[in-house]
Amino acid sequence: MKGLMITGDYSQFMKEFEMAKTLFSSQGLDVDFVDYNDIEVVAMDRFDGHVRIRGEMVDCPDFVFIMTTEERDTYQLKAVLRMFETLGVPCINTYDAVEKAGDKLYSFQIAKQAVPELRIPDTMLVGENTTIDSIEERIGFPLVMKVMHGYQGRGVCLVEDRDGLKSILDMLTAAPFGDQVLVQRAIPSSKGRDLRVVVGAGELVYAFVRHNDKDFKSNLHQGGYIEPYQPPQELIDQSIRLADAFGLKTGSIDYLFGEEEGEFYLCEVNSVPGISYVFKAQKEGDEELVRRFFSMPRKILHREGLI
């Protein structure tokens, strides 16, 4: 089978992706890594079975797998995904699943409905008529303020009190702003650390804890570091149920650590697991983790009855 791995600019990962292509080839998958900006998006009266990639007409792929390395909320990427879906190409993940996971507020609502026993931090959308009094009453302090479509820890800040919240709200209302804002109850016991559980094809792929000793955000792009972690089976089962609820064939679920041992709060659902940890594992010689990650697409295709 021939497939496309949709990425952003992957020039800095050429060596890693060449290794990945070799692994895919050993599984009978002919995979090409493509920057989504290099794919021509069209709507044609008659489709001849070809698409233009990097300026050349090629056969339409048998499947598409999203593995972006940069900004994921661009119209170009969404348009690429929708085009392939309307052409009947299986996409991992679908546009609908990506959209559900990308809406931080809606994703909490979906998650709580699908897995009622799951803990979530109280979350509130900030609108024109939202008052500081209302936020304090519903959410309390300290709280976390975040933009709806932020990623890699960007657009997230910790607000300690009313004065800090007022200053930020004054800034947001002083000029046009292009995204919705959420406020969320802070989980102090998880300050500077969180847990990422990556699932695919209905099973655990790997999990790790992200730490940051200098910031409340644990993202690698915010200066954090990572270490392997074995989640309890209950959390693994919840993560798989969450992925199914979103229609995610693969994805990662981020959790915050509660005060009690074995207590977790949902932090975020991601339709793209991220590959930083895989590349780190590769450099450190963890061949088993690398093998599990890059065998995931074939497992998903098999589970979906496509191979």
Side-chain angles (χ1 to χ4, degrees):
M1 294 186 73
K2 292 187 177 182
L4 292 182
M5 290 288 171
I6 304 298
T7 74
D9 179 11
Y10 61 91
S11 56
Q12 61 178 317
F13 299 117
M14 293 295 292
K15 181 179 178 180
E16 288 84 355
F17 282 144
E18 284 302 317
M19 176 277 298
K21 289 179 68 173
T22 301
L23 288 175
F24 285 131
S25 179
S26 68
Q27 302 171 46
L29 299 179
D30 182 6
V31 172
D32 187 16
F33 288 86
V34 179
D35 185 333
Y36 58 80
N37 293 298
D38 291 334
I39 300 175
E40 184 179 82
V41 180
V42 296
M44 306 296 291
D45 183 42
R46 295 182 180 178
F47 177 59
D48 64 0
H50 297 84
V51 292
R52 192 184 303 275
I53 300 177
R54 304 189 190 96
E56 297 184 5
M57 298 298 290
V58 299
D59 291 338
C60 199
D62 297 314
F63 69 92
V64 166
F65 197 96
I66 307 174
M67 189 184 290
T68 61
T69 60
E70 54 179 35
E71 172 61 56
R72 300 163 190 169
D73 195 37
T74 70
Y75 187 83
Q76 174 72 17
L77 175 57
K78 294 176 181 179
V80 166
L81 194 54
R82 286 191 295 250
M83 178 182 73
F84 281 123
E85 286 185 359
T86 57
L87 293 177
V89 178
C91 293
I92 307 167
N93 287 298
T94 65
Y95 175 80
D96 180 63
V98 171
E99 285 290 280
K100 286 179 180 178
D103 187 321
K104 290 182 171 62
L105 181 62
Y106 186 37
S107 65
F108 271 46
Q109 295 163 341
I110 294 173
K112 191 62 180 177
Q113 180 185 38
V115 187
E117 68 272 25
L118 181 71
R119 296 180 179 88
I120 63 172
D122 295 334
T123 303
M124 181 178 182
L125 178 66
V126 177
E128 292 183 5
N129 299 323
T130 304
T131 65
I132 293 178
D133 287 341
S134 178
I135 292 174
E136 183 172 22
E137 177 187 349
R138 300 283 281 183
I139 305 299
F141 294 101
L143 60 80
V144 173
M145 178 174 281
K146 58 178 65 176
V147 296
M148 183 76 75
H149 299 97
Y151 71 108
Q152 295 178 349
R154 300 170 185 172
V156 181
C157 65
L158 181 66
V159 181
E160 298 283 359
D161 50 35
R162 288 177 63 95
D163 290 341
L165 180 59
K166 183 178 185 304
S167 296
I168 295 175
L169 291 178
D170 286 346
M171 291 180 63
L172 292 177
T173 57
F177 183 67
D179 203 354
Q180 290 75 40
V181 175
L182 302 176
V183 289
Q184 190 173 78
R185 182 168 71 88
I187 309 296
S189 53
S190 197
K191 183 177 181 180
R193 64 178 183 141
D194 68 5
L195 168 63
R196 170 159 290 187
V197 179
V198 179
V199 296
E203 62 185 49
L204 174 69
V205 181
Y206 59 86
F208 57 83
V209 177
R210 300 184 293 188
H211 297 270
N212 193 328
D213 300 328
K214 300 180 180 179
D215 197 317
F216 83 97
K217 293 178 288 187
S218 57
N219 305 71
L220 294 181
H221 294 83
Q222 303 296 326
Y225 62 94
I226 54 183
E227 61 183 14
Y229 183 87
Q230 179 58 48
Q233 188 60 47
E234 180 183 7
L235 196 67
I236 295 173
D237 294 341
Q238 284 187 2
S239 300
I240 293 171
R241 288 167 60 194
L242 280 175
D244 289 343
F246 282 81
L248 295 172
K249 309 305 180 186
T250 181
S252 63
I253 318 296
D254 293 346
Y255 296 96
L256 302 172
F257 290 89
E259 293 184 1
E260 303 295 329
E261 181 70 25
E263 182 179 67
F264 300 93
Y265 288 82
L266 177 65
C267 177
E268 193 168 86
V269 178
N270 302 283
S271 59
V272 181
I275 52 179
S276 299
Y277 187 56
V278 178
F279 289 160
K280 177 179 181 294
Q282 179 192 355
K283 291 178 181 178
E284 295 177 351
D286 189 345
E287 296 181 1
E288 174 59 22
L289 188 147
V290 174
R291 183 196 62 78
R292 288 204 308 271
F293 182 82
F294 286 109
S295 65
M296 184 170 48
R298 182 175 180 82
K299 286 185 177 181
I300 293 172
L301 293 171
H302 185 268
R303 190 186 190 205
E304 296 297 305
L306 300 173
I307 56 174

